Amino acid sequence: MVVQSEAMLEKSLINRLEDQGYKYIEIKDEKELNQNFKKQLEKLNNIELSEEELERILIHLDKGSIFRKAEILRDRYELKRDEGTEYIQFLDKENWCKNIFQVSNQITMHGKYENRYDVTLLVNGIPMVQIELKRRGIELKEAFNQINRYHKHSFKGLFNYLQIFVISNGVNTKYYANNRNSSFKFTFFWTDKENKKISNLDEFTDSFLEKCHLWKMITKYIVLNQNQEALMILRPYQYYAVEAILEKATSTNKNGYVWHTTGSGKTLTSFKVSQLLSQNKKIDKVIFVVDRKDLDYQTTKEFNSFCAGAVDGTDNTSSLVKQLSGTTSLIITTIQKLTRAIDNEKYEHRLNNLKDKKIVLIFDECHRSQFGDMHKKITEYFNNIQYFGFTGTPILSENANNLRTTQDLFGDCLHKYVIKDAISDENVLGFSVEYVGRYKDKNKNQPDIEVEAIDTKELMESDMRLSAITDYIINNHNAKTFNGSYTGIFAVSSVPVLTKYYELFKSKNHNFKIATIFSYGANEEDDGSDEHSRDKLERYIADYNVTFGTNYSTDTFNEYYVDVAKRVKDKQIDILLVVNMFLTGFDSKLLNTLYVDKNLKYHGLVQAFSRTNRVLDERKKQGNIVCFRNLKKSVDEAIKLYSDENSLQTVLMKPYSEYVNDFNKVLTEMMEKTYEVGEVDDLESEKEKLEFVSRFRELIRLMTRLSVFTEFDFKDLEISEQKFEDFRSKYLDLYASTKGGDRNKTSVLDDVDFEIELLKRDDINVNYILDLLKDLDKNSSSFPKDKKFILDMMSKEVTLRSKRELLEKFIDNNLVNINEENDFESEFSKFIEAEKKEAVYSLVQKENLKEEEIAEVFEEYEFSGKLKKDNIKASFFTKPKLKEMREKVAYIGHQISSIVEMFTW
């Protein structure tokens, strides 16, 4: 059987696109690309352009970043002529069929290196979609990495107007927006309306690359994020939800709701539908309704990041009334302010003319306040109203508690994307749930009792139990959060219990920053304590002020809330104690652990758990849930309700024992060829090296999962910790061989993602090593052993390997001459400076460079992190030929960055 090659895959794709109406055009290089652009632009605008006018347009298009270019693409260009001004459009955003769709392949571009691109889709002569193909069986990530290389090496001119990338090996196909800083985690499969993946390239071509659909994705469903200056493209479930609401709002008078699981990007979806509805001439006002003041601020900020000035936040009721009675088409407000506005007689005359206008309400969460009187008042006030809601956890008949369901209030569900879909697509993470703590009835000599069977308040709130739980969290929090790389929330049953926990954390020895926030009532019941809950919170805010240098109080509760949220998101608070706050609506990617000592059910449980499951990086494999009550039955019921009967294994991570079995199985496969560490050095072929890298990479992925379990013990694995670390060093050696700056050598490992971030240890860094070095006693009998320990540790840590030889030289030649401990830092600084000068001098001599010019390059790189190629070129005494120049500049740049990395301490 012949495996389909890249060339065969490419030809098949082009034929399929031609069948869809794309016109094939052969374009060899940038010159032919620009000439084709001129012809298509003339057709689109029904105009003839001179070469001088084309040059002016190309200069205009060459401005700014990729983000700025995306704005230029969607705008018009004022072409000034003697007879008047022509307004040139690059895209017809209203009529897709008037745009000109072409396909080309193997276009060659010259940048730092020469690259030929697989298949390019052009709209009006501008490259809009780049498709990178790999033959079947090749990891899709290699195509992603290759496009990243194109960014560095050759994308320029009109290729900087690419909007979408597609990567495929024929069997798997994904798409993503042109964002240089994106990771592979933000590449997406396309699906049908039922969330069934369309991964085959032929099927993807027929659905996603169909001309009308592609035009719609480029003109409507790419969002320009102003804050990040990045392009964002909607995922398929977001697209289908927006399309469903648009169809309902413009063709019917019915309402509806969207069920998209928490964490799947609801804000972006709701922004896009609100924006498109507000641009519809048949709709007078779009009002986006949130449930709390903090969400009002947060949503306004996010909406305006998607489109600058999209909304003007409403600070109070009178400003809301001004917007409602004015020309503002898109308004964000809280349900409370909107209710006050329509309920207050003094505003009635200003809002009367609004009652009969076409109003669309978008509710950000249709499972909270919408079930009260406010929802009824708002929807009955307007005569020509439609309303749509978003929720990750709708109220269904099973958990309605005799209240109305989401469907009763909003009508049909227009699109559904449940938690198992999101986890399967890797758009959110699954949960690793651990149940900690069993209790025995000592008097009756019975076996362990399930915690939920213990209904004695006295036991559940006993000082002994709460103290043990506090100790557990202190002892295990670093393991759960990878030594503070992430943060945690601790949800407890009541304010009195929270205050006990807070005092316990305060009294114990640890380095964690603890904060708390909770609501209090003006006339709350007496709980028997000497202090009102507001007074307690006042004391805790005072602690917070001391820790962070702030000046909040309960009188500035809202400002305190916003500051706490910001510090949790910025990883400044290690553990936040709450009762109910922050368990819904709060979104922080750096939050990975939830400790639970309270009863949760159904939507409350899923909402709380979902605070932890935002996708971030390779190390964040799941949301960690640590339950100090037996919530297993509630967890199973909630997941079944909000997914289906068979989704437990998808949503919940496997137990510890299964990950151990998985690890040992992969280990056995790896050791069939490399049983001893030294055998890695004997691997001769690239295929064998790739096999080892793939197997060990899977081991470090599994180790990342295993290490967060409380019961993790290396003794459960069929390899010693020392041997695993030794294999780790060999893995890093292979990684280093791909980063060596060799100008001539290429390797199949070049495009392999080693997922190096999984090997980083936040507790082993430069400061840690220097502290060990200070304590190194050259007169001690353990000196050789202690020295070896430090150097071995550096070999195993990604960020320290390049510094190992340097440190060894310092120990051998300089440390022996240091007599006083306080001389250490100055002696070490002198050593580093001298060695750095020697390294720079050696580079200058070896490559025949001008010393002053190269010194400026170093200075700029150390200051800004940028390598200025023109300055590197200016440092050459002898100017190389063009091809040699590109290679030499790249090589010198690599050497400079390596030297700076080595001597940065």
Side-chain angles (χ1 to χ4, degrees):
M1 177 181 172
V2 178
V3 177
Q4 188 179 33
S5 66
E6 281 182 36
M8 292 166 64
L9 197 62
E10 190 174 295
K11 185 177 180 182
S12 172
L13 171 62
I14 292 170
N15 290 340
R16 205 168 191 93
L17 288 165
E18 287 184 293
D19 290 343
Q20 288 190 15
Y22 285 83
K23 185 176 180 181
Y24 179 79
I25 179 166
E26 183 179 356
I27 298 174
K28 294 177 183 174
D29 52 30
E30 188 172 15
K31 183 179 178 181
E32 291 188 7
L33 177 69
N34 291 342
Q35 285 303 310
N36 177 64
F37 168 62
K38 177 177 181 289
K39 291 177 185 176
Q40 310 316 317
L41 202 60
E42 288 173 335
K43 288 181 188 175
L44 178 68
N45 292 277
N46 194 22
I47 193 175
E48 283 190 19
L49 298 170
S50 67
E51 289 298 323
E52 184 270 335
E53 287 173 331
L54 173 65
E55 188 62 27
R56 278 158 54 193
I57 292 172
L58 288 173
I59 291 170
H60 169 72
L61 291 175
D62 206 33
K63 294 176 185 174
S65 62
I66 288 173
F67 177 81
R68 173 68 184 121
K69 287 177 168 63
E71 292 180 318
I72 292 171
L73 176 68
R74 290 158 175 80
D75 204 352
R76 290 176 180 248
Y77 172 65
E78 290 185 22
L79 179 63
K80 292 182 179 178
R81 290 175 154 175
D82 292 339
E83 60 271 26
T85 300
E86 296 280 355
Y87 292 91
I88 305 296
Q89 65 174 344
F90 304 107
L91 271 178
D92 190 327
K93 294 184 285 187
E94 302 301 322
N95 307 290
W96 76 267
C97 54
K98 291 186 179 179
N99 294 284
I100 304 154
F101 294 81
Q102 296 172 301
V103 56
S104 188
N105 68 318
Q106 299 299 315
I107 300 175
T108 300
M109 294 291 286
H110 295 274
K112 184 185 291 186
Y113 301 107
E114 177 181 297
N115 290 128
R116 286 191 302 171
Y117 312 139
D118 288 350
V119 177
T120 306
L121 303 187
L122 305 100
V123 180
N124 306 324
I126 302 175
M128 293 280 183
V129 181
Q130 184 59 46
I131 305 168
E132 192 60 35
L133 302 173
K134 293 291 177 185
R135 62 179 171 79
R136 295 176 193 270
I138 297 294
E139 202 175 67
L140 206 55
K141 213 169 189 179
E142 291 190 24
F144 176 82
N145 291 340
Q146 190 160 337
I147 286 173
N148 283 346
R149 287 213 319 278
Y150 292 160
H151 275 300
K152 296 174 184 175
H153 294 165
S154 60
F155 278 152
K156 63 176 185 174
L158 292 176
F159 269 95
N160 281 324
Y161 280 82
L162 286 166
Q163 301 295 289
I164 299 171
F165 290 115
V166 174
I167 50 178
S168 179
N169 58 12
V171 178
N172 287 320
T173 307
K174 301 182 85 173
Y175 72 99
Y176 58 102
N178 184 2
N179 178 7
R180 286 189 67 168
N181 298 319
S182 184
S183 77
F184 187 72
K185 282 186 172 292
F186 295 94
T187 60
F188 316 122
F189 286 104
W190 190 246
T191 71
D192 63 14
K193 287 182 181 179
E194 306 303 318
N195 304 312
K196 182 182 176 184
K197 287 180 186 174
I198 299 173
S199 55
N200 177 278
L201 180 58
D202 288 347
E203 294 174 7
F204 179 89
T205 303
D206 292 344
S207 55
F208 188 89
L209 297 179
E210 187 273 323
K211 291 191 298 182
C212 177
H213 181 267
L214 182 64
W215 165 82
K216 195 182 287 186
M217 293 302 295
I218 291 171
T219 57
K220 291 187 177 182
Y221 293 116
I222 286 180
V223 175
L224 308 186
N225 188 311
Q226 303 287 332
N227 284 355
Q228 299 175 18
E229 291 209 346
L231 277 64
M232 302 171 69
I233 189 166
L234 266 65
R235 304 173 194 199
Y237 58 89
Q238 295 173 314
Y239 166 84
Y240 289 120
V242 174
E243 289 283 295
I245 292 177
L246 290 178
E247 194 277 329
K248 210 78 165 173
T250 54
S251 304
T252 74
N253 59 1
K254 293 182 178 180
N255 310 312
Y257 74 96
V258 169
W259 175 357
H260 281 183
T261 192
T262 307
S264 58
K266 180 197 65 178
T267 303
L268 179 59
T269 314
S270 56
F271 160 74
K272 181 46 69 175
V273 75
S274 300
Q275 182 193 50
L276 292 175
L277 286 170
S278 68
Q279 293 168 356
N280 190 299
K281 294 176 182 178
K282 296 179 182 178
I283 297 170
D284 295 297
K285 299 274 183 190
V286 176
I287 305 173
F288 191 84
V289 185
V290 297
D291 191 38
R292 295 197 310 265
K293 185 174 182 178
D294 60 289
L295 289 178
D296 180 18
Y297 164 80
Q298 180 179 309
T299 309
T300 299
K301 184 179 175 184
E302 290 189 53
F303 271 33
N304 280 327
S305 78
F306 298 145
C307 182
V311 289
D312 180 12
T314 55
D315 294 327
N316 51 50
T317 306
S318 59
S319 67
L320 170 61
V321 171
K322 184 178 178 180
Q323 289 184 1
L324 288 170
S325 56
T327 58
T328 307
S329 59
L330 176 56
I331 299 167
I332 294 178
T333 189
T334 64
I335 192 169
Q336 293 84 359
K337 272 188 282 191
L338 185 56
T339 305
R340 286 197 300 270
I342 63 176
D343 225 14
N344 196 320
E345 290 183 2
K346 75 175 183 178
Y347 300 128
E348 189 173 349
H349 69 285
R350 294 174 64 184
L351 297 180
N352 261 339
N353 67 335
L354 199 65
K355 287 186 175 181
D356 294 322
K357 289 191 173 181
K358 173 72 173 181
I359 306 291
V360 175
L361 295 181
I362 306 288
F363 288 92
D364 86 311
E365 272 294 358
C366 51
H367 76 262
R368 291 204 286 258
S369 297
Q370 287 73 11
F371 288 86
D373 293 334
M374 294 183 192
H375 179 273
K376 185 178 179 183
K377 282 183 180 179
I378 292 168
T379 52
E380 288 181 353
Y381 181 83
F382 299 102
N383 299 324
N384 188 13
I385 188 175
Q386 275 181 286
Y387 49 92
F388 303 94
F390 285 85
T391 182
T393 50
I395 302 300
L396 305 169
S397 57
E398 292 89 339
N399 64 321
N401 292 327
N402 298 319
L403 297 172
R404 299 173 73 186
T405 65
T406 302
Q407 186 167 7
D408 292 337
L409 282 174
F410 285 86
D412 293 339
C413 178
L414 304 181
H415 193 261
K416 184 189 292 188
Y417 185 73
V418 297
I419 191 166
K420 71 164 186 175
D421 299 319
I423 292 171
S424 175
D425 292 343
E426 298 182 353
N427 288 324
V428 300
L429 304 172
F431 305 112
S432 175
V433 183
E434 291 183 83
Y435 300 97
V436 178
R438 292 290 182 97
Y439 301 87
K440 290 182 179 179
D441 186 333
K442 294 180 181 177
N443 297 326
K444 296 182 181 178
N445 195 27
Q446 291 181 345
D448 288 0
I449 303 169
E450 288 189 349
V451 177
E452 64 218 34
I454 302 171
D455 55 6
T456 59
K457 188 170 184 283
E458 181 183 1
L459 176 58
M460 296 302 286
E461 298 182 8
S462 70
D463 292 342
M464 184 183 296
R465 176 178 179 273
L466 302 190
S467 181
I469 288 172
T470 307
D471 288 338
Y472 175 91
I473 293 173
I474 290 171
N475 293 333
N476 291 280
H477 187 69
N478 274 333
K480 296 294 180 189
T481 62
F482 292 93
N483 294 301
S485 294
Y486 309 102
T487 60
I489 284 180
F490 186 9
V492 305
S493 57
S494 66
V495 172
V497 171
L498 183 148
T499 61
K500 285 186 177 184
Y501 272 122
Y502 186 90
E503 298 298 342
L504 282 165
F505 274 107
K506 197 172 176 181
S507 68
K508 293 178 183 286
N509 184 30
H510 60 82
N511 295 318
F512 300 123
K513 288 183 179 175
I514 309 294
T516 185
I517 188 167
F518 51 83
S519 57
Y520 52 85
N523 301 302
E524 62 190 26
E525 289 184 25
D526 185 358
D527 64 359
S529 66
D530 297 330
E531 197 176 22
H532 189 280
S533 60
R534 178 170 183 173
D535 297 326
K536 292 174 183 175
L537 182 59
E538 197 74 63
R539 284 196 295 111
Y540 302 156
I541 294 176
D543 292 342
Y544 184 93
N545 289 335
V546 171
T547 302
F548 297 109
T550 52
N551 189 31
Y552 297 109
S553 69
T554 53
D555 291 330
T556 56
F557 183 86
N558 288 332
E559 290 82 357
Y560 175 62
Y561 182 104
V562 171
D563 196 69
V564 169
K566 184 177 184 300
R567 292 187 192 278
V568 173
K569 289 183 179 185
D570 291 344
K571 212 170 58 177
Q572 295 179 40
I573 294 171
D574 294 303
I575 302 170
L576 179 67
L577 274 68
V578 301
V579 178
N580 293 312
M581 285 185 163
F582 284 80
L583 298 184
T584 60
F586 178 67
D587 188 358
S588 172
K589 291 182 178 181
L590 286 167
L591 176 65
N592 84 326
T593 301
L594 175 71
Y595 303 103
V596 182
D597 188 18
K598 67 181 296 182
N599 294 328
L600 293 168
K601 292 186 72 175
Y602 293 124
H603 62 280
L605 184 146
V606 172
Q607 285 284 338
F609 282 21
S610 296
R611 298 313 101 210
T612 67
N613 73 343
R614 303 303 192 268
V615 172
L616 178 62
D617 53 28
E618 293 296 341
R619 281 201 300 186
K620 191 178 179 187
K621 296 289 187 185
Q622 71 272 324
N624 299 320
I625 312 296
V626 182
C627 297
F628 301 108
R629 303 184 179 210
N630 193 346
L631 300 179
K632 187 170 191 322
K633 183 179 178 184
S634 296
V635 169
D636 291 352
E637 287 176 348
I639 291 169
K640 288 175 182 176
L641 179 64
Y642 288 116
S643 211
D644 62 42
E645 291 287 329
N646 303 312
S647 60
L648 288 177
Q649 289 183 327
T650 303
V651 177
L652 301 180
M653 297 296 98
K654 294 184 288 190
Y656 172 72
S657 59
E658 290 191 34
Y659 284 119
V660 169
N661 292 337
D662 290 346
F663 184 95
N664 288 332
K665 182 181 177 183
V666 177
L667 181 67
T668 301
E669 293 171 356
M670 186 189 83
M671 286 189 161
E672 285 177 1
K673 288 195 174 179
T674 50
Y675 184 78
E676 295 298 337
V677 175
E679 291 174 347
V680 178
D681 297 331
D682 298 331
L683 298 175
E684 294 181 356
S685 71
E686 296 257 298
K687 184 180 178 183
E688 288 175 320
K689 291 176 183 177
L690 180 61
E691 196 172 302
F692 168 76
V693 167
S694 300
R695 294 261 161 75
F696 194 79
R697 182 178 61 183
E698 185 58 29
L699 289 179
I700 61 175
R701 286 172 178 169
L702 289 164
M703 182 62 74
T704 304
R705 290 196 184 278
L706 284 166
S707 62
V708 298
F709 282 93
T710 307
E711 65 261 51
F712 172 64
D713 191 332
F714 242 100
K715 293 176 183 176
D716 297 329
L717 308 179
E718 294 172 3
I719 186 174
S720 69
E721 185 171 3
Q722 181 61 57
K723 194 169 184 179
F724 180 78
E725 290 297 322
D726 291 343
F727 272 118
R728 188 176 185 264
S729 294
K730 293 299 180 185
Y731 181 81
L732 286 172
D733 288 340
L734 286 171
Y735 169 71
S737 72
T738 69
K739 307 298 175 187
D742 191 321
R743 287 175 264 185
N744 302 308
K745 184 182 175 184
T746 59
S747 166
V748 295
L749 297 178
D750 288 344
D751 286 328
V752 173
D753 193 328
F754 280 73
E755 298 183 12
I756 286 299
E757 62 246 58
L758 294 182
L759 295 174
K760 290 180 181 175
R761 290 274 305 276
D762 297 284
D763 54 338
I764 299 177
N765 52 32
V766 166
N767 290 333
Y768 177 78
I769 293 295
L770 291 180
D771 285 342
L772 290 178
L773 206 56
K774 287 178 189 177
D775 296 333
L776 197 59
D777 183 359
K778 56 185 177 292
N779 299 316
S780 169
S781 60
S782 65
F783 175 77
K785 182 180 176 183
D786 294 339
K787 172 187 168 183
K788 184 176 184 298
F789 172 78
I790 293 172
L791 296 176
D792 286 350
M793 187 179 293
M794 293 183 74
S795 295
K796 295 168 186 173
E797 175 51 39
V798 180
T799 57
L800 299 176
R801 282 169 66 87
S802 65
K803 306 176 193 292
R804 184 188 184 282
E805 288 184 17
L806 190 66
L807 197 74
E808 186 172 16
K809 186 175 181 180
F810 176 77
I811 293 172
D812 292 342
N813 300 340
N814 295 64
L815 191 66
V816 292
N817 299 319
I818 298 176
N819 296 317
E820 299 293 334
E821 186 180 340
N822 56 9
D823 287 334
F824 173 83
E825 289 186 7
S826 62
E827 288 297 318
F828 186 73
S829 296
K830 288 177 190 175
F831 169 78
I832 292 296
E833 190 60 33
E835 290 295 316
K836 181 182 175 185
K837 283 182 180 177
E838 179 60 33
V840 174
Y841 179 75
S842 175
L843 176 66
V844 167
Q845 294 300 309
K846 181 183 174 185
E847 298 297 331
N848 192 25
L849 304 172
K850 297 175 184 176
E851 196 166 351
E852 288 185 11
E853 278 79 356
I854 211 69
E856 288 180 12
V857 178
F858 270 97
E859 188 177 339
E860 175 64 33
Y861 183 67
E862 288 174 320
F863 175 74
S864 66
K866 295 178 181 176
L867 283 167
K868 294 199 171 179
K869 296 175 187 175
D870 290 341
N871 289 8
I872 295 176
K873 291 175 184 176
S875 72
F876 297 155
F877 276 111
T878 306
K879 195 173 182 181
K881 293 179 181 177
L882 184 62
K883 185 177 180 182
E884 292 173 356
M885 172 75 83
R886 283 197 297 268
E887 291 177 352
K888 188 164 184 177
V889 167
Y891 176 74
I892 299 297
H894 175 79
Q895 295 302 312
I896 291 170
S897 62
S898 297
I899 290 171
V900 170
E901 181 185 350
M902 182 185 299
F903 292 98
T904 300
W905 286 79

